[in-house]
Every structure is written in C-alpha cells, then in structure tokens.
Amino acid sequence: GYPANFINKLLQQWKTRQKIQTHRLDIELKTIPFSTARKMGLPYRWMKKLIAFGQNQKRQVLMISRKAAYSKTSQPFNNGDLILAINNQPVHQFSAVESLSAHRKITITILRNKKIIKLKIKPKWSDGMGTRQIVNWSGMVIQTPFPALTFQRKIPDTGVYISHINQ
C-alpha cells in the first residue's frame, strides 16, 4: 500500500485542481535487518547513524530488490545496493525515500560491494495517469506500456504493449 501522507498530498493536489505529479526512482525496495547489512559491509558508524536518526526501532536497512528495465533513473543502481541516505539524511523507511526524492535532483548514498558511494539522480516525474487510451482490435488490447511492465516483464516504457482478452 501507499503511506497516508502520500495519498493526502495527492488528494490536496486534486482538491485544489493542481496538476497531480508524482516522482519515482524506478526501483523496488525491501527491508533487511542490520545483521544482514553488516555482513554485506555496512560500517558501524552508518549503523549508528541509522539508529539515531528517526528512531529506527526495527533495526532495518533498505535494499534494492529490483529495478525497472530501460530506465535512465534506475540505471546507476544495482540490485542489492543498500540505500543509506538521501541528500545526506539517513533513511530506513519507504515513506522517507518517497518524500526525500521529491526534488529535481537528489544525492543518494548507497553501500555497494562494501563501499560507500554517492549517486546523483534525477527522479522520473510522472502525472500518475498510467494508461490513457487503449485500442481493442480483434481480441487484442493495444496501449502504451505502463510502468509495472518495466519491472515485471523488462519491457521498455516506449512503443506499444499488446495483450489479449480471453473469451
């Protein structure tokens, strides 16, 4: 699900008739315990930062589990990278990544192969509308590819996507 503050932000934009915009890094995250992160090379000082910042009571770190194919935004990331901070602010919750990524350019601190790396990223902005038009022809559904396809099927988000209707 989506965090309530994210939905509230979208509702406010809708109520005031603002153009609804969302941003994405085109990555999927999962949490791992500190013990696993330490085995992956998480320095003790970073563990202390994550504990001290934002009451990380679950003692968890965010790890990239999957990235969208063909996305310029997700290209600098690798599966298995640990997200430590965004714009020098430690993160350990999905909602923090969402809110701190709401800028044109961000710096993400990651742990990769036991090394701390800073990546400059331009989040992908979207109006969140998804599919706007479909064509149903001879049992085929023709539309532009939607974002989930880049994760699940490794299909580019350009061109057309054709599926079929079972009857």
Side-chain angles (χ1 to χ4, degrees), residues 9-151:
K9 179 182 160 191
L10 293 178
L11 282 173
Q12 279 303 106
Q13 290 175 342
W14 180 74
K15 285 179 183 177
T16 58
R17 300 189 190 282
Q18 294 176 19
K19 185 176 181 181
I20 294 177
Q21 289 192 325
T22 61
H23 51 277
R24 25 183 246 254
L25 296 175
D26 284 347
I27 55 176
E28 288 184 5
L29 300 170
K30 69 177 187 178
T31 59
I32 61 169
F34 276 166
S35 57
T36 304
R38 291 282 289 151
K39 288 176 187 174
M40 295 174 70
L42 179 68
Y44 182 73
R45 66 181 172 81
W46 267 101
M47 190 175 76
K48 285 184 72 168
K49 280 184 190 182
L50 290 167
I51 290 171
F53 192 84
Q55 300 175 347
N56 190 346
Q57 295 171 345
K58 292 184 179 179
R59 307 283 201 252
Q60 66 187 21
V61 180
L62 297 173
M63 183 172 83
I64 297 174
S65 58
R66 188 164 38 171
K67 62 184 202 169
Y70 308 101
S71 167
K72 288 181 185 178
T73 303
S74 69
Q75 198 171 22
F77 298 109
N78 289 341
N79 291 341
D81 286 347
L82 302 183
I83 306 283
L84 304 177
I86 297 178
N87 294 334
N88 295 317
Q89 184 171 331
V91 295
H92 59 86
Q93 295 177 322
F94 302 115
S95 59
V97 172
E98 182 71 35
S99 61
L100 292 171
S101 298
H103 301 283
R104 296 278 175 214
K105 294 179 184 176
I106 59 175
T107 301
I108 299 185
T109 307
I110 64 166
L111 176 72
R112 176 185 295 158
N113 298 326
K114 300 184 179 186
K115 294 180 183 159
I116 303 293
I117 301 169
K118 290 193 178 218
L119 303 173
K120 303 255 187 240
I121 305 289
K122 291 182 182 179
K124 189 173 192 175
W125 287 80
S126 169
D127 61 10
M129 294 298 290
T131 301
R132 295 172 191 241
Q133 181 180 14
I134 63 169
V135 175
N136 187 353
W137 180 67
S138 294
M140 294 183 293
V141 177
I142 304 168
Q143 65 189 60
T144 56
F146 43 95
L149 287 172
T150 63
F151 286 103

